[in-house]
Short mmCIF file of all heavy atoms in Angstrom, two decimals:
data_model
loop_
_atom_site.label_atom_id
_atom_site.label_comp_id
_atom_site.label_asym_id
_atom_site.label_seq_id
_atom_site.Cartn_x
_atom_site.Cartn_y
_atom_site.Cartn_z
N ILE A 474 30.18 88.19 152.31
CA ILE A 474 29.02 88.98 152.80
C ILE A 474 29.50 90.00 153.84
O ILE A 474 28.72 90.48 154.64
CB ILE A 474 27.90 88.09 153.38
CG1 ILE A 474 28.39 87.21 154.54
CG2 ILE A 474 27.28 87.24 152.30
CD1 ILE A 474 27.26 86.59 155.34
N SER A 544 26.82 88.22 142.79
CA SER A 544 25.94 89.29 143.25
C SER A 544 26.77 90.22 144.14
O SER A 544 27.98 90.02 144.28
CB SER A 544 24.74 88.71 143.99
OG SER A 544 25.16 88.07 145.17
N ALA A 546 26.73 90.36 147.27
CA ALA A 546 27.19 89.63 148.46
C ALA A 546 26.57 88.25 148.49
O ALA A 546 25.40 88.08 148.15
CB ALA A 546 26.79 90.40 149.72
N GLY A 547 27.35 87.28 148.91
CA GLY A 547 26.83 85.94 149.14
C GLY A 547 26.59 85.15 147.87
O GLY A 547 27.25 85.34 146.84
N MET A 548 25.62 84.27 147.95
CA MET A 548 25.34 83.34 146.85
C MET A 548 24.39 83.98 145.85
O MET A 548 23.28 84.37 146.22
CB MET A 548 24.73 82.07 147.46
CG MET A 548 24.47 80.97 146.46
SD MET A 548 25.91 80.50 145.47
CE MET A 548 26.72 79.30 146.51
N ILE A 551 20.20 83.79 145.62
CA ILE A 551 19.55 83.77 146.93
C ILE A 551 19.18 85.21 147.27
O ILE A 551 20.04 86.00 147.68
CB ILE A 551 20.46 83.14 148.02
CG1 ILE A 551 20.84 81.71 147.67
CG2 ILE A 551 19.78 83.21 149.39
CD1 ILE A 551 19.68 80.72 147.61
N CYS A 552 17.91 85.56 147.05
CA CYS A 552 17.42 86.96 147.20
C CYS A 552 18.28 87.90 146.38
O CYS A 552 18.47 89.07 146.77
CB CYS A 552 17.40 87.37 148.67
SG CYS A 552 16.09 86.59 149.57
N ASP A 553 18.82 87.44 145.33
CA ASP A 553 19.65 88.23 144.41
C ASP A 553 19.42 87.70 143.00
O ASP A 553 18.98 86.55 142.84
CB ASP A 553 21.14 88.02 144.77
CG ASP A 553 21.63 89.01 145.80
OD1 ASP A 553 21.00 90.07 145.96
OD2 ASP A 553 22.65 88.72 146.45
N ALA A 575 29.99 82.04 151.18
CA ALA A 575 29.12 82.62 152.19
C ALA A 575 27.68 82.73 151.70
O ALA A 575 27.42 83.08 150.54
CB ALA A 575 29.63 83.99 152.59
N CYS A 576 26.75 82.47 152.61
CA CYS A 576 25.33 82.69 152.36
C CYS A 576 24.73 83.01 153.73
O CYS A 576 24.81 82.19 154.66
CB CYS A 576 24.70 81.45 151.76
SG CYS A 576 22.95 81.67 151.43
N ALA A 577 24.18 84.23 153.88
CA ALA A 577 23.83 84.73 155.21
C ALA A 577 22.85 83.81 155.96
O ALA A 577 23.01 83.59 157.16
CB ALA A 577 23.24 86.13 155.08
N PHE A 597 12.75 87.71 152.10
CA PHE A 597 12.33 88.91 152.83
C PHE A 597 10.82 88.83 153.10
O PHE A 597 10.05 88.48 152.20
CB PHE A 597 12.59 90.16 151.99
CG PHE A 597 14.04 90.57 151.95
CD1 PHE A 597 14.85 90.18 150.89
CD2 PHE A 597 14.59 91.32 152.96
CE1 PHE A 597 16.19 90.55 150.84
CE2 PHE A 597 15.94 91.71 152.92
CZ PHE A 597 16.73 91.32 151.86
N TYR A 622 15.18 87.16 155.90
CA TYR A 622 16.09 88.30 155.82
C TYR A 622 15.30 89.54 156.23
O TYR A 622 14.10 89.62 155.98
CB TYR A 622 16.61 88.47 154.39
CG TYR A 622 17.70 87.49 154.00
CD1 TYR A 622 18.07 87.32 152.67
CD2 TYR A 622 18.37 86.75 154.96
CE1 TYR A 622 19.08 86.42 152.30
CE2 TYR A 622 19.38 85.86 154.60
CZ TYR A 622 19.72 85.70 153.28
OH TYR A 622 20.72 84.83 152.94
N GLU A 623 15.97 90.49 156.85
CA GLU A 623 15.26 91.70 157.26
C GLU A 623 16.16 92.93 157.24
O GLU A 623 17.38 92.83 157.48
CB GLU A 623 14.69 91.49 158.67
CG GLU A 623 13.59 92.44 159.08
CD GLU A 623 12.55 92.69 157.98
OE1 GLU A 623 12.84 93.49 157.06
OE2 GLU A 623 11.46 92.08 158.01
N ALA A 647 20.45 87.48 163.90
CA ALA A 647 21.88 87.53 163.57
C ALA A 647 22.14 88.79 162.78
O ALA A 647 21.46 89.08 161.80
CB ALA A 647 22.26 86.30 162.77
N ARG A 648 23.14 89.52 163.21
CA ARG A 648 23.40 90.87 162.63
C ARG A 648 24.85 90.94 162.18
O ARG A 648 25.73 90.43 162.85
CB ARG A 648 23.13 91.86 163.76
CG ARG A 648 23.17 93.30 163.41
CD ARG A 648 22.78 94.10 164.63
NE ARG A 648 23.91 94.32 165.53
CZ ARG A 648 24.81 95.28 165.37
NH1 ARG A 648 24.72 96.11 164.39
NH2 ARG A 648 25.80 95.40 166.22
N GLU A 649 25.06 91.55 161.02
CA GLU A 649 26.42 91.84 160.56
C GLU A 649 27.34 90.60 160.55
O GLU A 649 28.48 90.66 160.99
CB GLU A 649 27.03 92.95 161.43
CG GLU A 649 26.31 94.28 161.36
CD GLU A 649 26.53 94.98 160.03
OE1 GLU A 649 25.85 94.60 159.06
OE2 GLU A 649 27.37 95.88 159.97
N LEU A 650 26.80 89.51 160.08
CA LEU A 650 27.57 88.26 160.05
C LEU A 650 28.89 88.44 159.29
O LEU A 650 28.90 89.10 158.24
CB LEU A 650 26.74 87.16 159.38
CG LEU A 650 25.54 86.69 160.21
CD1 LEU A 650 24.50 85.99 159.33
CD2 LEU A 650 25.99 85.77 161.32
N LYS A 652 31.23 90.27 159.91
CA LYS A 652 31.81 91.63 160.00
C LYS A 652 32.32 91.90 161.41
O LYS A 652 32.10 91.11 162.34
CB LYS A 652 30.76 92.67 159.60
CG LYS A 652 30.19 92.46 158.21
CD LYS A 652 29.27 93.59 157.82
CE LYS A 652 28.48 93.23 156.58
NZ LYS A 652 27.52 94.22 156.20
N GLU A 677 22.84 94.54 158.72
CA GLU A 677 21.98 93.58 158.01
C GLU A 677 21.57 92.45 158.95
O GLU A 677 22.38 92.00 159.77
CB GLU A 677 22.75 93.00 156.83
CG GLU A 677 23.21 94.08 155.87
CD GLU A 677 23.78 93.48 154.62
OE1 GLU A 677 24.96 93.11 154.62
OE2 GLU A 677 23.04 93.37 153.63
N PHE A 678 20.35 92.00 158.80
CA PHE A 678 19.80 91.03 159.76
C PHE A 678 19.29 89.75 159.10
O PHE A 678 18.74 89.78 158.00
CB PHE A 678 18.59 91.63 160.47
CG PHE A 678 18.94 92.47 161.65
CD1 PHE A 678 19.20 93.82 161.47
CD2 PHE A 678 19.01 91.93 162.92
CE1 PHE A 678 19.53 94.62 162.56
CE2 PHE A 678 19.34 92.72 163.99
CZ PHE A 678 19.59 94.07 163.82
N VAL A 679 19.43 88.67 159.86
CA VAL A 679 18.72 87.44 159.53
C VAL A 679 17.96 87.03 160.80
O VAL A 679 18.55 87.03 161.89
CB VAL A 679 19.68 86.30 159.13
CG1 VAL A 679 18.87 85.08 158.68
CG2 VAL A 679 20.63 86.72 158.03
N1 SAM B 1338 22.76 86.60 148.29
C1 SAM B 1338 22.84 86.94 149.69
C2 SAM B 1338 23.12 85.67 150.50
O1 SAM B 1338 23.61 84.69 149.92
O2 SAM B 1338 22.89 85.65 151.72
C3 SAM B 1338 21.61 87.67 150.17
C4 SAM B 1338 21.38 88.98 149.49
S1 SAM B 1338 19.98 89.85 150.06
C5 SAM B 1338 19.80 91.08 148.83
C6 SAM B 1338 20.62 90.85 151.36
C7 SAM B 1338 20.09 90.41 152.73
O3 SAM B 1338 20.84 89.28 153.18
C8 SAM B 1338 20.28 91.47 153.80
O4 SAM B 1338 19.21 92.39 153.82
C9 SAM B 1338 20.32 90.63 155.07
O5 SAM B 1338 19.02 90.28 155.49
C10 SAM B 1338 21.06 89.38 154.58
N2 SAM B 1338 22.49 89.54 154.78
C11 SAM B 1338 23.44 89.73 153.84
N3 SAM B 1338 24.65 89.87 154.41
C12 SAM B 1338 24.46 89.77 155.75
C13 SAM B 1338 25.31 89.82 156.88
N4 SAM B 1338 26.61 90.04 156.75
N5 SAM B 1338 24.77 89.66 158.11
C14 SAM B 1338 23.45 89.46 158.25
N6 SAM B 1338 22.60 89.39 157.23
C15 SAM B 1338 23.08 89.55 156.00
#
Side-chain angles (χ1 to χ4, degrees):
I474 58 166
S544 65
M548 184 54 86
I551 301 296
C552 287
D553 271 338
C576 180
F597 285 96
Y622 282 166
E623 198 44 280
R648 187 175 83 83
E649 297 288 80
L650 290 160
K652 303 186 192 176
E677 301 189 277
F678 276 88
V679 185

